[in-house]
Amino acid sequence: MATQKLRNFVVVAEELNLSRAAPRLFVTQQALSKQLRDIEEAVGVRLFDRSTRSMALTPAGEEFLASVREALAALDAGVAAARSASQRVSGTVHLGFLMGGALELTTPILAEFSARYPDIRLELRETGLDDPSAGLADATSDVAIVRLPLAVPDLDSVPLFVEPLIVALPPRHRLADRTSLTAEDVIDEPLAIGRTTDAVWRRFWTLDDHRGGRPPRVVRETTSPTEELQLVAAGLACTITVVGARRHTPLAGVRYVPLTGLPGSTVAVAWRRGHRSPGVERFVAVAQQVRDRESAIVRAIEAPPA
């Protein structure tokens, strides 16, 4: 018996009226009546008691209906499972990130991705400030959580949030008691900056676009935000960082003052153009969905520092 005939049988059993069942199934009453006779002939018993005025399932019809529903449900589940298997993605995705990653969004993104795609192995790799591309520049990462801008060519990205900038100052610095600072206030201060060859990234964090051609007074190169803050605490430099540094890398004595009038630091999920594998595609999609779902977290991250 064709499965469509069985599905039609279920509809007739529910309606117990050919004139109502036929429109639901987009067939004529005559064709539907013939299908029922074919099924009864194949089963070898009468499934309906029919008269000119009424229609009812026989006891055999009741039993057959229950079995048909179970069989169709199993068939539908099998089809769904087969389709799901054909779309299942496996393999390994190498995820690079800088210290802090996507801040408070990191955990929900990783948890959601692992729950949704258990067959994809997610390999995590944290990089230092010497590689702000988090492995994209040398292709050791398939996808990365980075801070823009970067000098990496052919880079595609999806922003997650924009974090306000802040200046980390030594505790007895002349600007430490200010409630806010501008680029003009700090461009002549000695700065600590990540040791990297990425000129675009370096230009952003040394405020070069706001210097009017003046080079930084002193630049002390580091490989991590922790090193930067140790230099600040020792009174050897200041550093341009983000408001999240107060939460994630606190250091006794370091004073943080909001930096106003400048665009913030954009945290994004990024990948090399032409290298968006199925696993990367799914990771990017999950990151976007979690970003949109966790709007309260995003608002808290993007809030101006007090």
Side-chain angles (χ1 to χ4, degrees):
M1 286 173 282
T3 56
Q4 188 57 55
K5 285 186 178 180
L6 294 177
R7 295 184 192 279
N8 292 354
F9 164 79
V10 172
V11 172
V12 174
E14 291 171 348
E15 293 287 354
L16 293 177
N17 186 298
L18 291 180
S19 64
R20 290 196 300 267
R24 280 183 59 184
L25 299 170
F26 301 99
V27 297
T28 66
Q29 292 186 45
Q30 293 83 356
L32 191 54
S33 181
K34 182 180 183 308
Q35 288 183 19
L36 296 180
R37 289 196 301 271
D38 291 342
I39 293 174
E40 288 179 326
E41 183 178 342
V43 177
V45 297
R46 193 174 75 256
L47 302 175
F48 291 97
D49 283 328
R50 283 175 277 188
S51 69
T52 57
R53 293 187 177 181
S54 65
M55 185 176 191
L57 284 167
T58 65
E62 295 279 4
E63 292 291 335
F64 186 66
L65 175 62
S67 297
V68 167
R69 281 175 169 159
E70 289 182 11
L72 291 176
L75 178 62
D76 291 341
V79 171
R83 289 174 176 169
S84 176
S86 70
Q87 298 171 357
R88 191 174 298 144
V89 178
S90 60
T92 300
V93 171
H94 296 91
L95 172 65
F97 61 96
L98 298 177
M99 182 177 180
L103 304 182
E104 287 82 0
L105 277 184
T106 305
T107 296
I109 288 173
L110 298 184
E112 181 74 14
F113 182 80
S114 297
R116 196 177 300 181
Y117 301 108
D119 295 323
I120 300 179
R121 180 180 177 85
L122 197 60
E123 292 282 357
L124 307 183
R125 174 175 173 251
E126 181 180 354
T127 63
L129 297 181
D130 55 334
D131 180 17
S133 78
L136 293 177
D138 61 6
T140 54
S141 295
D142 302 312
V143 63
I145 299 173
V146 298
R147 289 186 178 272
L148 302 178
L150 295 169
V152 181
D154 301 323
L155 193 72
D156 283 333
S157 63
V158 171
L160 298 178
F161 53 80
V162 179
E163 191 176 12
L165 299 183
I166 202 165
V167 184
L169 298 164
R172 288 177 293 278
H173 194 278
R174 62 183 181 84
L175 300 174
D177 293 330
R178 296 274 294 273
T179 57
S180 66
L181 296 168
T182 66
E184 185 64 29
D185 293 326
V186 297
I187 54 176
D188 291 326
E189 297 296 323
L191 293 179
I193 182 70
R195 185 181 290 111
T196 176
T197 59
D198 190 314
V200 172
W201 190 88
R202 187 182 180 96
R203 186 177 184 86
F204 178 86
W205 293 103
T206 55
L207 306 180
D208 277 5
D209 289 339
H210 308 277
R211 293 181 176 280
R214 288 179 290 173
R217 177 179 151 204
V218 176
V219 173
R220 291 181 174 269
E221 295 187 334
T222 68
T223 59
S224 74
T226 303
E227 289 181 14
E228 286 185 351
L229 292 179
Q230 289 291 351
L231 288 172
V232 172
L236 301 176
C238 306
T239 190
I240 310 302
T241 184
V242 289
V243 66
R246 295 191 301 190
R247 303 191 304 275
H248 296 280
T249 54
L251 193 62
V254 173
R255 298 297 302 273
Y256 294 96
V257 181
L259 186 59
T260 62
L262 297 178
S265 170
T266 299
V267 172
V269 178
W271 64 97
R272 295 294 291 270
R273 190 171 303 135
H275 295 81
R276 185 163 166 162
S277 67
V280 169
E281 184 173 339
R282 283 156 177 77
F283 184 85
V284 173
V286 166
Q288 289 178 279
Q289 291 161 11
V290 171
R291 174 203 64 190
D292 295 342
R293 183 188 73 203
E294 303 293 346
S295 56
I297 292 178
V298 172
R299 286 196 300 272
I301 291 174
E302 294 184 332

